[in-house]
Amino acid sequence: LSQKRAGNHTEALKTFKKCHTIVPDSVEDVFLSSLFLSLSAFNNTITAPLLLILLRQVLYQLADLSELLDDLSEAVKWYQILQMRVPTDPGVLAHLAAIHSKDDNEPEALHCYEQSYRYFPVNIDVVSALGAHNVSSDLYEKAIQSFRYDFLSFSLSAFK
């Protein structure tokens, strides 16, 4: 992460790719991994759920760094792998939607924006993208209704 913060995105990407080869890919692999066995023998606080959290973080960093380096196809690959492990994460879905939108893959972008909205309806970027789509599709009433509802939801959530 220090490489990423310093702006050395290529080096950070190499580091996270190496980390991905070390961290197990699935629950089954966690229990079979030598990393888990050696860490659990050394420190009883290392558990399978912690390793799975580490895997998700590594996958996110790989996707984010690929996106920062404008390697959008690689970023999509990593975000999709991450989405398979955390299918309801609205942030991952929003990232996928934004990349698909950049690639002019509007049907897939719309699908990802709708899924992200389903899990977290107060993300302003997602609401804006859906509203813009509704306006460009001449669905003005739907856009107005959506913006009105989301503005109220966002305003109310800010005061909780």
Side-chain angles (χ1 to χ4, degrees), residues 66-78:
S66 296
E67 190 175 359
L68 287 170
L69 292 168
D70 285 330
D71 189 350
L72 300 183
S73 63
E74 191 74 5
V76 166
K77 178 186 98 172
W78 290 117

Side-chain angles (χ1 to χ4, degrees), residues 20 25-27 52 55-56 59-60 63 75-89 92-93 96 112:
H20 184 254
D25 253 354
S26 68
V27 177
L52 291 174
L55 170 64
R56 292 177 187 142
L59 291 172
Y60 174 79
V76 166
K77 178 186 98 172
W78 290 117
Y79 279 127
Q80 286 175 336
I81 292 170
L82 180 57
Q83 185 196 10
M84 286 188 292
R85 284 158 178 76
V86 192
T88 59
D89 187 313
V92 171
L93 291 162
L96 277 169
C112 290

Side-chain angles (χ1 to χ4, degrees), residues 96-130:
L96 277 169
I99 293 171
H100 288 307
S101 187
K102 283 181 192 174
D103 278 347
D104 292 327
N105 185 350
E106 288 306 314
E108 193 62 32
L110 180 61
H111 173 73
C112 290
Y113 277 129
E114 287 171 342
Q115 290 301 306
S116 178
Y117 176 83
R118 181 175 153 206
Y119 298 114
F120 189 66
V122 293
N123 182 328
I124 295 297
D125 295 329
V126 171
V127 171
S128 297
L130 287 172

